[in-house]
Amino acid sequence: MNKKLMHEFSKLYYGKEIILASSFKPFDRFMKVYFLIPFLFFIIACQSNDQKQVPVKIQKQAFDYAIVEGDYAEILDAIIAYHSISNEVAKTNKPKAYIHQWFIKDSLYNAYDKNFMPDGLRIQKLLGLVGHSQQDSTGYLNQVKGRDTIFIPLQIKKKYNVAYHKETETTEQFLSSYTFHLPILSHDHKKAFVSLDYVCGALCGQGYDFILEKINGKWKVIKRDYTWIS
């Protein structure tokens, strides 16, 4: 065997580490460095992965109803006009009906959940009718979660007979009433879902669902469904 082509290796043991010493020719040294480069990158990558990353906390902000109060007023105006009840709830000395002074707050539930709320609003319905993106679904939850009482907008109170019925108030207890549920808006605020309950007596009334769309800057009813009747 040609001794000039042989590599002499000696192994030096220090605990668990093994140090290899050899005599390399220039080409051999180049090859050693060439093969060590990927190994060094691997070590650096492992060290960077081992470093603890500080998680970024995203603070959830409460839904600001003041921003959409104008939309609420326009939505109710569009429904009142579409439903032809403006004369009934008009502000006169002898009103025929009144609008309840605050919105009903619906709860959202999942239809596939065993513990669903039968009196709530099914989130699958909103995803199908209003908007189905992840931002939409998150927005629906934010609009109905942890909110205070939301009153009918001032613009509606100025135009129509808005009141709160009490048993002791003889002026309103014999009138028909319209109670709006809080409008649920899509993420882009271009579509809305609203329920309406009409009560005209002990065993007299009807319920409706409205789908509205903002077209050329104005809210318009594009669909109405009957939900209950008595």
Side-chain angles (χ1 to χ4, degrees):
M1 182 177 295
N2 191 348
K3 294 182 179 180
K4 292 182 180 181
L5 300 177
M6 292 177 60
H7 298 279
E8 296 178 359
F9 297 91
S10 63
K11 299 182 179 179
L12 304 176
Y13 294 86
Y14 294 95
K16 295 182 180 179
E17 297 181 356
I18 301 176
I19 302 176
L20 300 178
S22 62
S23 59
F24 291 95
K25 294 180 180 180
F27 178 76
D28 295 324
R29 288 196 296 270
F30 173 78
M31 293 301 295
K32 179 182 178 182
V33 174
Y34 179 80
F35 285 110
L36 279 176
I37 290 175
F39 181 71
L40 291 174
F41 278 114
F42 176 77
I43 294 175
I44 294 173
C46 292
Q47 290 178 348
S48 61
N49 288 336
D50 290 338
Q51 294 179 353
K52 294 182 179 180
Q53 297 181 354
V54 179
V56 178
K57 295 182 179 180
I58 301 176
Q59 296 181 352
K60 295 182 179 180
Q61 296 182 351
F63 188 79
D64 190 354
Y65 297 96
I67 295 178
V68 293
E69 185 175 1
D71 285 312
Y72 289 167
E74 292 177 12
I75 287 171
L76 267 57
D77 243 340
I79 294 175
I80 291 171
Y82 181 88
H83 206 51
S84 301
I85 60 173
S86 56
N87 291 333
E88 291 185 57
V89 295
K91 270 197 168 184
T92 61
N93 294 329
K94 296 181 179 180
K96 299 178 181 179
Y98 72 96
I99 298 173
H100 200 278
Q101 70 175 348
W102 58 66
F103 293 105
I104 288 181
K105 300 178 293 184
D106 289 312
S107 298
L108 291 182
Y109 70 88
N110 190 331
Y112 305 106
D113 187 357
K114 294 181 179 179
N115 299 319
F116 74 91
M117 301 177 63
D119 294 330
L121 181 60
R122 187 163 57 90
I123 193 169
Q124 283 83 358
K125 186 173 185 178
L126 292 175
L127 293 173
L129 296 174
V130 182
H132 56 272
S133 70
Q134 184 177 358
Q135 291 176 318
D136 285 320
S137 59
T138 303
Y140 302 151
L141 295 173
N142 288 337
Q143 292 176 61
V144 301
K145 183 179 179 181
R147 59 171 181 245
D148 296 329
T149 300
I150 310 300
F151 290 92
I152 296 296
L154 184 61
Q155 298 94 310
I156 299 297
K157 291 182 179 179
K158 291 180 178 179
K159 295 175 63 176
Y160 305 107
N161 183 31
V162 178
Y164 170 55
H165 167 68
K166 294 181 180 179
E167 293 182 358
T168 56
E169 294 178 355
T170 57
T171 306
E172 296 159 0
Q173 65 181 354
F174 299 110
L175 297 178
S176 300
S177 65
Y178 289 91
T179 304
F180 286 93
H181 295 235
L182 186 72
I184 304 297
L185 303 174
S186 61
H187 176 72
D188 58 7
H189 292 186
K190 292 184 178 179
K191 281 191 174 182
F193 175 90
V194 185
S195 294
L196 173 63
D197 296 325
Y198 168 65
V199 176
C200 48
L203 296 174
C204 176
Q206 199 162 6
Y208 312 88
D209 283 345
F210 294 89
I211 302 296
L212 297 94
E213 189 171 348
K214 205 169 191 178
I215 303 173
N216 296 327
K218 293 184 178 181
W219 285 101
K220 294 183 178 181
V221 176
I222 60 175
K223 187 178 181 181
R224 177 181 62 183
D225 290 328
Y226 296 89
T227 56
W228 63 271
I229 189 169
S230 176

